[in-house]
Amino acid sequence: MPERIRIIVDGRELHVDRGVTVAAAMMNAGIRAFRQSVSGEARGPLCGMGVCMECRVTINREPHCRSCQTLCEDGMEVQTR
Amino acid sequence: MNGAAPDVLIVGGGIVGAACAWECSLGGLKVMVVEADVPGSGATAAGMGHIVAMEDSTPEFHLTRYSQIIWNELVHEMPAGVEYLPCGTLWVAVDEEEMAGARRKQASYLGRGVPAELLDARQLAEAEPSLRSGLVGGLLVPEDSALYPPVAAQWLLTQSGAEVRRGRVVSISDSGAQLEDGTLLTAGIIVNAAGAMSSKLMPGVPVTPRKGHLVITERYPGFLRHQVVELGYLKSAHAAGGDSVALNVQPRATGQVLIGSSRQHGATHKEIDRPILSAMLRRAEEYLPGIMDLVAVRCWTGFRATTPDKLPLIGPWPGTQRVWLATGHEGLGITTGPATGRLVADLILGRTPAIPAQPYLPARCGHA
Ligand SMILES: Cc1cc2nc3c(=O)[nH]c(=O)nc-3n(C[C@H](O)[C@H](O)[C@H](O)COP(=O)(O)OP(=O)(O)OC[C@H]3O[C@@H](n4cnc5c(N)ncnc54)[C@H](O)[C@@H]3O)c2cc1C
Ligand code: FES
């Protein structure tokens, strides 16, 4: 059994298996708007492999982290804006 | 494609050509613009879009300030894509010598009716928290601003109603503008507004390209509040010859940070020069220690059109009947574009300009 850990997305707790990416955790929780474009459109993961930059979120206060390239850590705080 | 030849044919659809088209059309003239590429894609797309009143000399002050006033009226009519940001300029002093420079600069601005406020070290830190500690102070010039020039150029061109024609001009003379494909475009007056390329089209025009690098970051709202410029900037920018870098950073309306600046003479290739780029970023880091944590999304270069006396060339070109210049705006052409257009239209239409046009007349170059 993989270890269960907890991340906090915009104040909401998500429980996931260790080894899951932040993008997958958020998608599984039904989150589609990861960030906003300059003109205010919602954006979310597209390529899933670190190229398109569409999946960026703020992780532990560091802006512009690619959620598809970041593994969840216990207690991690994620912001979509 | 018919009808009479235009009154005015403008070669180049950068901010200068676009402003000339706008003002000439407003003055009732029939205008055509010929542009080799996409309008606004030259130095106008490469530059920073800092609208700044400069007071190093009276002619420079007149043109920059007059133009700033025209900009402030225009931006309210322009689309949101112009990204007008009334951020002011913050000139930063690292030592007492530069602070003395800030005081002289303040006196000069105030004497010319431009608000300018001296900041001590604490006020500076409050005004711009990302700056390192230990700076002596600064000078805040609140009426300066920043915008996105290519959208402004496009808007001016479209609104002018001028015919915009795609084509590469190979030479300009009294008989017209000769295109690459052999077509000769004729007009009552032909204005060379081809920026750093203007001397290629007319031998003897004393304009040389001066290369600059810029970097733009991702969006970090709040990292920077003002256009921040070092007071050593004037020394390095005006140092003849050698390559130089200086702190010149700009907040964009999007929250992005635009990082400059560099100046190189003699470099003609567009590629990034790594040592210059690194020196420029290190310079920025000396003032803004956190800047290296920001993610850069793009860097590029552009060419300023430099003249020997650092003033633009605006008006008739001596030795010709109908060829005019509107070029040589160096690192200030976004600022001074609108005033240039106004002066060109004033001179063509025989109106009295609001500022003396004589300092910018190409006749000063002694060309016969
Ligand atoms: C790095 C950098 C930073 C800058 N920062 C600022 C700033 O903060 N504030 C400021 O006020 N200014 C700034 N400038 C200066 C400013 O960008 C220029 O002075 C200004 O854009 C000049 O406009 P222009 O219309 O004369 O030239 P351009 O924009 O270069 O326009 C010339 C046009 O002519 C066209 N053309 C050229 N040759 C031909 C041909 N043979 N036939 C037909 N068309 C032709 C080109 O395609 C181009 O569109 C900066 C410049 C650089 C390089
Ligand atoms: S989804 Fe494309 S970079 Fe993350």
Side-chain angles (χ1 to χ4, degrees):
Chain A
M1 277 283 284
E3 185 192 347
R4 294 289 281 178
I5 56 174
R6 182 190 63 120
I7 68 170
I8 301 117
V9 181
D10 297 332
R12 171 180 165 199
E13 288 197 8
L14 304 183
H15 295 269
V16 297
D17 290 349
R18 187 177 285 286
V20 165
T21 65
V22 174
M26 290 170 66
M27 296 285 275
N28 284 338
I31 299 168
R32 295 290 175 268
F34 280 48
R35 63 182 197 97
Q36 290 198 340
S37 73
V38 173
S39 56
E41 288 172 17
R43 293 288 162 90
L46 175 70
C47 71
M49 59 186 196
V51 176
C52 71
M53 310 294 278
E54 293 289 16
C55 65
R56 283 168 293 156
V57 292
T58 298
I59 298 182
N60 294 338
R61 300 191 177 196
E62 194 183 332
H64 306 299
C65 297
R66 281 168 294 177
S67 58
C68 74
Q69 299 298 299
T70 310
L71 295 180
C72 293
E73 300 279 356
D74 197 33
M76 194 178 247
E77 293 204 22
V78 178
Q79 262 102 40
T80 59
R81 61 186 67 214
Chain B
M1 288 314 306
N2 60 353
D7 300 315
V8 183
L9 172 67
I10 296 163
V11 179
I15 194 70
V16 172
C20 290
W22 159 263
E23 290 286 348
C24 287
S25 294
L26 278 183
L29 297 165
K30 186 176 174 213
V31 181
M32 183 196 273
V33 175
V34 56
E35 164 61 55
D37 208 314
V38 174
S41 65
T44 296
M48 277 188 122
H50 183 204
I51 306 302
V52 53
M54 296 291 287
E55 42 63 68
D56 297 319
S57 70
T58 298
E60 186 183 59
F61 175 73
H62 278 160
L63 199 64
T64 52
R65 181 64 171 168
Y66 181 39
S67 211
Q68 184 173 56
I69 292 164
I70 302 176
W71 267 121
N72 286 347
E73 291 162 9
L74 280 176
V75 287
H76 298 294
E77 297 177 42
M78 290 184 169
V82 168
E83 296 181 359
Y84 172 70
L85 190 71
C87 57
T89 306
L90 192 51
W91 299 85
V92 177
V94 296
D95 54 28
E96 282 305 332
E97 190 191 338
E98 289 188 2
M99 203 56 207
R103 279 186 211 102
R104 281 195 302 275
K105 216 171 165 56
Q106 183 199 30
S108 164
Y109 278 123
L110 293 179
R112 294 174 144 127
V114 179
E117 190 189 334
L118 276 180
L119 306 184
D120 62 21
R122 191 182 50 80
Q123 292 166 320
L124 180 66
E126 273 167 21
E128 204 57 81
S130 296
L131 283 169
R132 75 164 162 89
S133 56
L135 296 166
V136 176
L139 180 67
L140 176 64
V141 186
E143 291 187 5
D144 292 346
S145 59
L147 48 76
Y148 186 57
V151 171
Q154 291 269 7
W155 186 88
L156 287 169
L157 265 188
T158 312
Q159 296 294 311
S160 76
E163 183 186 343
V164 181
R165 182 179 169 144
R166 191 80 172 251
R168 184 169 297 278
V169 174
V170 290
S171 70
I172 300 173
S173 67
D174 278 339
S175 34
Q178 177 92 50
L179 302 190
E180 221 170 20
D181 66 7
T183 312
L184 183 70
L185 299 176
T186 57
I189 286 174
I190 304 149
V191 182
N192 181 349
M197 304 301 286
S198 50
S199 51
K200 289 251 190 314
L201 313 180
M202 283 167 53
V205 170
V207 166
T208 49
R210 202 170 196 191
K211 187 174 179 177
H213 288 69
L214 286 174
V215 174
I216 192 148
T217 72
E218 254 304 337
R219 286 176 275 156
Y220 296 92
F223 180 82
L224 200 65
R225 300 174 182 174
H226 308 86
Q227 177 112 12
V228 178
V229 188
E230 62 168 281
L231 276 159
Y233 182 76
L234 297 170
K235 283 180 253 160
S236 57
H238 288 203
D243 300 347
S244 63
V245 295
L247 171 80
N248 189 346
V249 288
Q250 178 181 87
R252 303 293 316 172
T254 55
Q256 292 174 283
V257 181
L258 185 51
I259 309 169
S261 64
S262 72
R263 284 177 147 80
Q264 286 164 275
H265 259 310
T268 50
H269 60 281
K270 285 176 86 170
E271 284 68 41
I272 303 286
D273 297 296
R274 296 270 158 194
I276 299 275
L277 186 70
S278 323
M280 186 179 97
L281 291 172
R282 273 199 306 275
R283 190 75 184 157
E285 191 186 21
E286 282 172 30
Y287 289 82
L288 296 155
I291 207 159
M292 290 304 196
D293 296 331
L294 311 189
V295 175
V297 291
R298 210 159 72 84
C299 50
W300 66 90
T301 65
F303 293 93
R304 307 171 180 92
T306 312
T307 62
D309 63 4
K310 312 266 174 347
L311 286 175
L313 298 157
I314 306 168
W317 181 233
T320 68
Q321 302 298 310
R322 57 182 78 236
V323 179
W324 287 44
L325 298 182
T327 183
H329 293 75
E330 227 274 339
L332 287 171
I334 306 302
T335 302
T336 54
T340 300
R342 182 75 57 89
L343 282 182
V344 165
D346 285 343
L347 295 175
I348 291 177
L349 294 165
R351 302 184 303 216
T352 305
I355 59 169
Q358 179 271 333
Y360 323 107
L361 291 178
R364 73 182 188 276
C365 298
H367 171 92

